[in-house]
Amino acid sequence: MSLANIIRRRLLLLILVVFGVTLVTFAISHMIPGDPARMMAGERASDEIVEKMRENLGLNKPVAVQYAIYVGQIARGDFGTSIRTQRPVISDIKKFFPATIELALAAMLFAIIVGVPLGVISAVSKDRLIDHLSRSISVVGISTPAFWLGLLMILVFYGQLGILPGSGRIDGVIGPPTTITGFYTIDAALTGNWPAFKSAVQHLILPGLTLGFLHLGVVTRQIRSAMLEVMSEDYVRTARASGLSRRQIIYGHALRNALIPSITMIGLAFGDLLYGAVLTETVFAWPGMGAYVVQSISSLDFPAIMAFTVVASTAYVLINLFVDLIYMVLDPQIREVG
Amino acid sequence: MEQNPSPVVDIDHLSLNFQTYRGAVQALDDVSLQVRPGEIVGLVGESGCGKSVLAMSTIRLLPPQGVEVPSGRISVLGRDILASSEAEMGDFRGHQASMVFQEPMNALNPTIRVGRQIVQVIRRHESVSQEQATARAVELLREMQVSDAERIMRNYPFELSGGMRQRVLLAMAFSCNPRVLIADEPTTALDVTVQAQVLALLRTRASERGVSVLFITHDLAVVAQLCDRVYVMYAGKMVEEGSTRDVLKAPRHPYTRALLRSLPEFAEPLHPLASIPGTVPNLIAPPGGCRFRPRCAHAFDKCLKQPPLEPGPDHPEHKVACWLPEGTADAAQADTAEPETRRQTGETLMRLDQVSVRFDVGTNWLGKPRGQVHAMTDVTLDIRRGETIGIVGESGCGKSTLAQVAMALRKPSSGKVQFDGQDLSAVEASAERQLRQRFQIVFQDPQSSLDPRMPVWSLISEPLAVRERHPRSWLKARAGELAETVGIRADQLDRYAHEFSGGQRQRIAIARALALSPDLLVLDEPTSALDVSVQAQILNLLMELQRNLGLTYLFVSHNVSVIRHIADRVAVMYLGEIVELGTAAEVLDDPVHYYTRSLIASVPRLDGDARTGAAAGFTELPSNLSLPKGCFFADRCPARTGGCEKRQVLAPAGAGADRLVRCHLAQG
């Protein structure tokens, strides 16, 4: 199956997923006790005002009609108005969501860049000191709470050493770069705004490490076990019997095959990163979706919650589409069979 | 011995242990072996005898952890293998001594194009440019009779057939002009016709290039076809050594003799086979003295001392490790009596009527299939009560699909299956459940077909338990009875499957299949995963059960000798069709279809004129995605003529009413 076919099929799937998500969130929002009109109008508003509000929001129409209106709005990029902030939800999302994605990607990048080599080294020197060391790092990474690690990082690198910033996305003096993608690092690089780029990268380091540390452990363990399995495959024996060097065997033959199962896991872990960033964002005063969503939930801000769910699901499906493409690059058989 | 040129491989009194948490496994004990220049030397033995360990040790491929060599030397081309550094071994392997392995399916990296894998090896050992190496790789593939070598170079392993992959591996092994080739069961996973081609290829290329070969196999007939000399191993010891002719025609060690006798070729069809009692010893604590002693019919007090591997007075080149004087014959135990007649009424038990099975393959982005595999086409077959009908053919011929259809595990795409007069697709669910009890299956690999987490009594009685509620004690008692009928002691039933040997596990699988007292047993390659001496035991058991219980067998196998031994009638399948059908003697001793002829001719024979394995032109099996218009075999048929463009029908061959053949040349 060709690449184009896979992408086409996945995009078709994406539409179905988004449709499903809207259906579920919409249904839940109508089943949860609590009256959005009353919430919006305020505690002391008279029944008449609440009724008027209900009419404005379209809440007195039949449920099916409400859903059709809702989907139609989403299709036009309109997620309604936030009950809490009174701004269009889409503008809030545009503001906060790229920050979360940028942080998640930075964390993932760190986990992969460090975790993959660590896993490989650990596997090829199984049961030796370096293996025990890397496995200890994994366990510590998996079991350390992010907020504690974050506070520790701030204390050391910002408080004691003063070499890295401990909060926010960018230096207030420099200010955010011109918005293109909403990712400060990419926008700064695209506009050639190097001071902003440097500052944005510096701000990413500590929260990125904090959030990535957990996944570092997961990636290391995954790569280690996949490598151990692959190293006992017949084709590795063939490579050894042909006199190939250890380097050629490990990096040329084994790693590529070991990455195949690991890539899937990394794609799935990205979901955790999206939803799990809340604590890290809070610790580093990172203006991402975490705090926004928590506040929206506590104030039953349905338009905002639903918008976040739809956008996050879409991002998740897109990331996994991307993962599948990598998968196809690594494994020729997938390319063929689809 | 002194006048011989010095050996290229010289393994000298080698002992090797594996450290395990249960103790040291004495995998090799004082083993010596020589390969002289230009020789092809066979190393035979059953699983676990240490032959692969010896092969791997020859170029030091065993992982170093847990391996210890208390004594002995290995010298290959004058290099002291045990004393060389890892870097020296890296330069040596693949260059001066290379190796090919058993499973061509897994021996190539699935994510790298095969051309690159060959080029990589060439460039590892010789400083040549990418272009030169590529040209050499193409040339090598051509030498291995790969037509269209440039295209194959760009293929990934999964796009190639097993035979093609083994050619690629041979090209890789020969790529840097090695002087020694170690081949560890290189044809065991291949079909016989492909095996014949690969063996012929190996033989000619090795002799052209002056490569000495150490050929490891469990198949004595392959040794007969290929090797100049042969070594026989048992339980980590070398028990016999000599020229192929001497060892196979006049074996001296009781183990070699027993092994040869357990081959189905050596017995009259349907007679019990000679089998070796007992099992291979545990090598953590091997028996003192001769390791074959506990299973040997001739053992006497002297056998408590380890016999040396020594030439006999009249046979300077034929060595044996046995205290028995030369010429000790085995007790006459050949069973010449006619086998007891079985209840064969000729009445049809199961009938496949014009059954075809097609699978959808590949899907476009909307999930529509892009093509269909024709796994079985218009198969009509009567299975008669009390008979054994054998289905033979090579991989992809549809024989396993036929077994699945007969088990109602797969619905035919068209056609009908009748069991005892009832149409399986037309009966109601409850009736189908009743019918299903009456046919049961035994699979190939008892390793994976038995749940590792169920005790054996539960494995055996599960078919009873899922149908009706029974008290546990009743199930256990019933399992005990069933176990006794297949030769498993009832007091072993609380153990788990992994605690049994392969042969015992297959007995358990048979007991499980018998639990519902079926009429028909479908046996899908039931002995293919077993050693020949164990295969003999299982075949004997199956024949005995058939006599005692009046069972009907549908016996599927790629092994022509096994089918010849056990089957009354045989159907030969090719590309989803039955091409020949008749009694076992008719079809397998005197085949008329050209496919059956080439199949039979490819089977290596112990008595066959050694090294005549015809290097027939290599052709790949046609795809069953798009079936040929006329005769399916026409493209590969040596007798192709005018009438072959027409679709062939299965019709009587000559006067014999019962024998059918799908070839217009043989019908008349």
Side-chain angles (χ1 to χ4, degrees):
Chain A
M1 180 177 291
S2 72
L3 202 63
N5 268 348
I6 295 254
I7 296 176
R8 222 175 302 166
R9 183 149 77 169
R10 283 319 182 86
L11 290 179
L12 199 74
L13 189 69
L14 175 68
I15 294 170
L16 289 176
V17 167
V18 173
F19 187 76
V21 168
T22 58
L23 198 65
V24 171
T25 50
F26 185 82
I28 290 172
S29 74
H30 277 74
M31 281 185 285
I32 281 178
D35 182 352
R38 166 66 70 187
M39 296 275 295
M40 218 161 169
E43 292 274 322
R44 280 164 301 183
S46 69
D47 286 354
E48 268 166 42
I49 293 175
V50 172
E51 196 51 43
K52 188 120 173 79
M53 189 65 85
R54 205 186 302 280
E55 211 165 291
N56 284 349
L57 292 172
L59 291 174
N60 52 356
K61 296 202 175 79
V63 176
V65 176
Q66 285 186 47
Y67 178 67
I69 291 170
Y70 173 63
V71 170
Q73 284 172 340
I74 290 178
R76 289 193 302 275
D78 176 6
F79 286 97
T81 306
S82 164
I83 296 170
R84 185 168 59 87
T85 64
Q86 296 292 339
R87 281 194 303 267
V89 172
I90 190 72
S91 68
D92 285 344
I93 297 242
K94 272 185 186 160
K95 190 166 147 206
F96 297 121
F97 202 68
T100 294
I101 297 274
E102 189 172 30
L103 176 58
L105 286 176
M108 204 31 111
L109 205 64
F110 163 72
I112 291 169
I113 287 175
V114 181
V116 170
L118 206 59
V120 170
I121 294 168
S122 195
V124 299
S125 37
K126 182 169 178 265
D127 290 334
R128 278 188 255 152
L129 181 66
I130 181 105
D131 179 33
H132 293 306
L133 211 66
S134 104
R135 285 162 76 189
S136 314
I137 294 175
S138 310
V139 173
V140 171
I142 291 169
S143 48
T144 307
F147 68 88
W148 185 80
L149 186 68
L151 289 175
L152 203 71
M153 291 257 191
I154 292 175
L155 201 69
V156 174
F157 293 100
Y158 176 66
Q160 296 291 317
L161 302 174
I163 48 174
L164 285 168
S167 72
R169 289 182 79 186
I170 202 156
D171 203 325
V173 182
I174 297 171
T178 323
T179 304
I180 301 171
T181 60
F183 295 173
Y184 283 4
T185 46
I186 294 175
D187 288 349
L190 286 177
T191 53
N193 185 353
W194 300 115
F197 181 74
K198 188 179 165 211
S199 174
V201 170
Q202 282 174 339
H203 278 79
L204 259 178
I205 292 176
L206 291 186
L209 287 184
T210 304
L211 190 56
F213 204 57
L214 165 83
H215 292 276
L216 168 69
V218 178
V219 169
T220 307
R221 294 194 138 210
Q222 174 75 33
I223 291 280
R224 180 180 182 272
S225 69
M227 276 297 283
L228 283 178
E229 201 178 313
V230 168
M231 288 299 280
S232 64
E233 290 280 351
D234 287 355
Y235 52 83
V236 169
R237 187 180 58 184
T238 306
R240 287 182 57 220
S242 319
L244 297 192
S245 68
R246 202 172 153 74
R247 234 190 123 71
Q248 277 175 311
I249 292 169
I250 292 168
Y251 294 98
H253 281 266
L255 180 56
R256 188 187 169 118
N257 287 286
L259 279 176
I260 293 170
S262 314
I263 290 285
T264 314
M265 187 277 314
I266 290 170
L268 296 174
F270 200 80
D272 292 352
L273 280 178
L274 280 185
Y275 299 104
V278 178
L279 280 175
T280 311
E281 286 184 4
T282 312
V283 171
F284 288 95
W286 188 264
M289 291 300 290
Y292 180 76
V293 173
V294 169
Q295 284 163 23
S296 301
I297 291 171
S298 59
S299 54
L300 277 187
D301 186 353
F302 281 118
I305 297 168
M306 287 157 79
F308 174 75
T309 312
V310 170
V311 171
S313 317
T314 310
Y316 188 65
V317 175
L318 284 176
I319 295 267
N320 276 289
L321 169 62
F322 180 67
V323 165
D324 284 352
L325 296 182
I326 299 176
Y327 210 87
M328 285 174 66
V329 172
L330 287 174
D331 188 350
Q333 201 155 356
I334 309 278
R335 241 175 284 165
E336 193 60 28
V337 185
Chain B
M1 192 68 72
E2 268 62 51
Q3 59 267 51
N4 284 317
S6 65
V8 287
V9 176
D10 190 359
I11 293 165
D12 190 21
H13 296 289
L14 181 73
S15 296
L16 186 146
N17 300 338
F18 290 110
Q19 288 301 341
T20 67
Y21 66 95
R22 276 175 297 185
V25 177
Q26 300 174 32
L28 300 176
D29 182 19
D30 195 26
V31 166
S32 297
L33 175 148
Q34 285 88 32
V35 182
R36 301 174 199 136
E39 255 190 335
I40 299 186
V41 170
L43 176 58
V44 290
E46 298 183 283
S47 3
C49 72
K51 59 189 191 299
S52 283
V53 171
L54 185 57
M56 303 263 282
S57 310
T58 310
I59 53 172
R60 218 174 77 197
L61 271 183
L62 294 172
Q65 296 92 341
V67 174
E68 56 175 38
V69 180
S71 65
R73 273 182 59 252
I74 304 169
S75 155
V76 181
L77 299 167
R79 168 174 292 281
D80 185 346
I81 297 294
L82 294 174
S84 297
S85 72
E86 196 48 45
E88 285 169 333
M89 284 312 295
D91 292 338
F92 187 76
R93 290 185 201 124
H95 190 197
Q96 280 161 306
S98 52
M99 189 156 178
V100 283
F101 298 95
Q102 173 170 6
E103 288 287 339
M105 293 300 159
N106 310 324
L108 287 163
N109 191 324
T111 58
I112 303 179
R113 290 175 205 277
V114 296
R116 222 183 107 201
Q117 299 191 45
I118 304 174
V119 166
Q120 194 178 27
V121 175
I122 298 174
R123 299 197 67 195
R124 163 69 178 86
H125 295 292
E126 293 174 34
S127 41
V128 292
S129 72
Q130 183 75 23
E131 289 70 37
Q132 286 169 314
T134 307
R136 163 111 63 99
V138 170
E139 188 50 41
L140 280 159
L141 284 175
R142 289 217 182 95
E143 264 185 56
M144 300 304 148
Q145 294 175 353
V146 174
S147 51
D148 210 2
E150 279 95 350
R151 185 178 59 82
I152 299 296
M153 289 278 286
R154 289 191 300 275
N155 279 139
Y156 288 98
F158 71 89
E159 297 169 308
L160 306 178
S161 68
M164 190 62 94
R165 286 182 224 197
Q166 201 55 282
R167 282 159 209 274
V168 169
L169 285 159
L170 277 175
M172 198 188 270
F174 280 121
S175 66
C176 296
N177 296 308
R179 290 184 52 210
V180 173
L181 176 70
I182 297 150
D184 188 358
E185 306 249 11
T187 58
T188 304
L190 304 177
D191 281 321
V192 279
T193 56
V194 182
Q195 165 170 288
Q197 293 163 358
V198 171
L199 288 178
L201 192 63
L202 183 71
R203 176 153 203 100
T204 41
R205 293 297 170 267
S207 76
E208 281 166 16
R209 291 163 167 262
V211 179
S212 315
V213 181
L214 175 59
F215 193 95
I216 290 89
T217 182
H218 69 283
D219 190 337
L220 294 161
V222 168
V223 169
Q225 300 272 298
L226 188 74
C227 299
D228 304 308
R229 285 193 309 127
V230 60
Y231 288 81
V232 182
M233 279 187 87
Y234 178 77
K237 296 289 289 183
M238 209 59 93
V239 295
E240 189 158 1
E241 158 193 355
S243 74
T244 304
R245 208 190 149 71
D246 286 349
V247 173
L248 297 184
K249 294 265 160 65
R252 290 175 57 205
H253 197 282
Y255 172 66
T256 318
R257 291 205 296 260
L259 197 60
L260 276 161
R261 271 203 325 268
S262 62
L263 291 171
E265 292 92 319
F266 269 68
E268 282 288 303
L270 301 172
H271 285 69
L273 295 162
S275 59
I276 309 176
T279 51
V280 177
N282 178 350
L283 293 184
I284 290 178
C290 174
R291 288 189 178 177
F292 188 59
R293 175 175 50 86
R295 303 173 71 187
C296 184
H298 307 286
F300 60 121
D301 47 5
K302 207 175 176 188
C303 299
L304 287 166
K305 233 177 85 204
Q306 173 62 47
L309 187 68
E310 276 183 344
D314 308 328
H315 304 88
E317 291 278 292
H318 189 170
K319 298 185 188 174
V320 63
C322 183
W323 294 117
L324 287 174
E326 219 171 309
T328 308
D330 291 298
Q333 54 103 263
D335 187 350
T336 46
E338 277 303 302
E340 285 174 58
T341 41
R342 287 165 291 155
R343 282 161 280 171
Q344 287 187 39
T345 54
E347 159 207 1
T348 299
L349 180 62
M350 178 175 265
R351 181 181 170 78
L352 276 66
D353 192 6
Q354 296 281 306
V355 172
S356 296
V357 174
R358 294 177 290 270
F359 306 120
D360 292 341
V361 284
T363 47
N364 65 9
W365 65 283
L366 285 172
K368 295 257 167 65
R370 287 184 302 176
Q372 280 191 319
V373 168
H374 298 262
M376 234 169 94
T377 309
D378 284 348
V379 168
T380 298
L381 186 66
D382 279 345
I383 300 166
R384 300 170 192 162
R385 195 181 284 278
E387 76 169 346
T388 297
I389 185 154
I391 312 287
V392 275
E394 300 180 279
S395 12
C397 74
K399 57 188 190 300
S400 286
T401 309
L402 193 148
Q404 290 169 356
V405 168
M407 281 299 297
L409 291 172
R410 187 174 290 287
K411 277 219 176 325
S413 311
S414 64
K416 274 196 308 207
V417 182
Q418 286 181 331
F419 186 84
D420 211 3
Q422 287 175 277
D423 186 345
L424 279 180
S425 55
V427 297
E428 286 176 18
S430 61
E432 191 192 327
R433 221 171 124 83
Q434 288 301 316
L435 275 181
R436 268 180 193 273
Q437 304 194 17
R438 299 176 54 194
F439 42 90
Q440 296 289 317
I441 192 164
V442 176
F443 294 101
Q444 170 171 3
D445 187 1
Q447 191 95 284
S448 52
S449 61
L450 297 175
D451 189 327
R453 287 177 193 83
M454 274 164 97
V456 164
W457 70 265
S458 176
L459 280 171
I460 294 178
S461 62
E462 194 186 20
L464 296 162
V466 298
R467 252 150 238 275
E468 248 176 278
R469 280 193 70 84
H470 293 290
R472 191 183 156 105
S473 56
W474 185 86
L475 287 173
K476 267 193 146 169
R478 186 80 187 98
E481 290 164 27
L482 287 160
E484 301 276 1
T485 60
V486 298
I488 297 280
R489 288 206 320 273
D491 61 355
Q492 299 178 314
L493 292 186
D494 284 320
R495 301 191 190 175
Y496 292 87
H498 69 89
E499 296 173 72
F500 293 85
S501 70
Q504 287 173 316
R505 277 197 290 256
Q506 199 58 297
R507 287 172 191 267
I508 293 165
I510 293 169
R512 177 182 162 98
L514 293 176
L516 294 168
S517 311
D519 297 316
L520 172 70
L521 268 197
V522 176
L523 303 155
D524 191 357
E525 304 264 8
T527 61
S528 301
L530 306 174
D531 280 317
V532 285
S533 65
V534 183
Q535 165 174 291
Q537 296 171 3
I538 297 292
L539 292 178
N540 287 346
L541 171 68
L542 286 170
M543 290 187 286
E544 188 193 316
L545 289 171
Q546 185 169 45
R547 274 197 304 278
N548 296 343
L549 305 173
L551 293 167
T552 307
Y553 290 155
L554 176 68
F555 197 113
V556 174
S557 179
H558 70 282
N559 189 325
V560 174
S561 314
V562 167
I563 293 283
R564 177 70 187 90
H565 188 80
I566 198 168
D568 301 299
R569 289 193 306 141
V570 170
V572 181
M573 291 189 75
Y574 180 76
L575 219 61
E577 282 188 335
I578 292 179
V579 295
E580 193 160 357
L581 175 67
T583 65
E586 283 170 349
V587 173
L588 300 178
D589 295 348
D590 179 26
V592 291
H593 194 282
Y594 282 91
Y595 171 67
T596 320
R597 289 187 191 187
S598 78
L599 182 73
I600 304 292
S602 304
V603 176
R605 277 175 208 290
L606 281 165
D607 53 352
D609 212 351
R611 299 160 214 173
T612 48
F618 175 65
T619 47
E620 289 269 288
L621 189 72
S623 154
N624 46 13
L625 266 172
S626 55
L627 292 172
K629 281 266 180 300
C631 169
F632 289 179
F633 189 60
D635 284 350
R636 309 170 86 186
C637 185
R640 183 176 186 168
T641 64
C644 301
E645 291 86 41
K646 285 208 309 277
R647 184 88 163 74
Q648 301 294 307
V649 291
L650 196 63
D658 208 27
R659 181 181 201 181
L660 304 175
V661 62
R662 195 183 289 275
C663 174
H664 64 104
L665 295 170
Q667 294 157 356

